[in-house]
Amino acid sequence: MADRPEVRRARLWHVPRLARILWSFTRTTPWLPRVRTKGDDLKMMTRITRQGWVRLARDAKGPAAFIARDGQVIHALYVHPRARRQGLGRRLLDDAKARADRLELWTLQANREARAFYAAQGFAEAGRSDGRGNDEYLPDIRMVWLRRGDTADER
């Protein structure tokens, strides 16, 4: 794999592979409730790919990670298990940071690995919720990254 994998805009023909990346987490994580059917996930992936929200990173076997971002809001970032800990998630975030002065996301409190990853990438906790605002109804944490030396609490 290249030292800095290329990040590119996802196209509609990528949707089945992107859905499999999504499912590699949502369908195998025991504590995560299933709230959508696979058909619903495919429709959602098609819609956000058409809107231009999705960028992907590849490994030698093809699409291996994706980020879904609308402006400063990151809605999803998933890496296929075969490609974890190879820098693809970091590369997708670096690409998003190059395109925005501020990024924000919500991550589930139970997802300690994601929380640690985002903190290591410069995101700071900016709030918590009881989960009423997410599909899974699980407590979550709002995290914010700012290009400048501002703190997340100031926004």
Side-chain angles (χ1 to χ4, degrees), residues 97-108:
K97 288 175 180 179
R99 298 166 185 277
D101 289 333
R102 180 181 195 277
L103 296 170
E104 64 180 78
L105 57 88
W106 287 88
T107 188
L108 297 174

Side-chain angles (χ1 to χ4, degrees), residues 34-143:
R34 290 188 188 171
V35 296
R36 287 178 305 277
T37 66
K38 286 186 172 185
D40 289 339
D41 285 341
L42 285 166
K43 287 177 192 171
M44 180 263 309
M45 289 301 305
T46 299
R47 181 177 47 80
I48 65 175
T49 300
R50 272 197 182 118
Q51 291 173 318
W53 290 12
V54 183
R55 294 182 61 79
L56 63 86
R58 303 171 62 91
D59 66 6
K61 294 183 179 182
F66 74 88
I67 189 169
R69 182 177 63 87
D70 179 23
Q72 67 185 15
V73 179
I74 296 172
H75 293 279
L77 189 149
Y78 290 95
V79 179
H80 194 281
R82 74 169 188 260
R84 290 187 184 142
R85 301 196 188 321
Q86 295 179 25
L88 295 179
R90 183 176 58 248
R91 180 68 185 103
L92 288 165
L93 279 180
D94 288 348
D95 180 71
K97 288 175 180 179
R99 298 166 185 277
D101 289 333
R102 180 181 195 277
L103 296 170
E104 64 180 78
L105 57 88
W106 287 88
T107 188
L108 297 174
Q109 287 183 30
N111 195 343
R112 289 186 175 98
E113 190 172 339
R115 290 168 45 201
F117 169 74
Y118 292 125
Q121 302 311 309
F123 284 76
E125 184 175 327
R128 289 181 178 237
S129 92
D130 61 7
R132 282 185 240 177
N134 65 51
D135 293 342
E136 295 84 8
Y137 296 100
L138 294 174
D140 54 3
I141 298 173
R142 181 171 162 256
M143 299 186 81

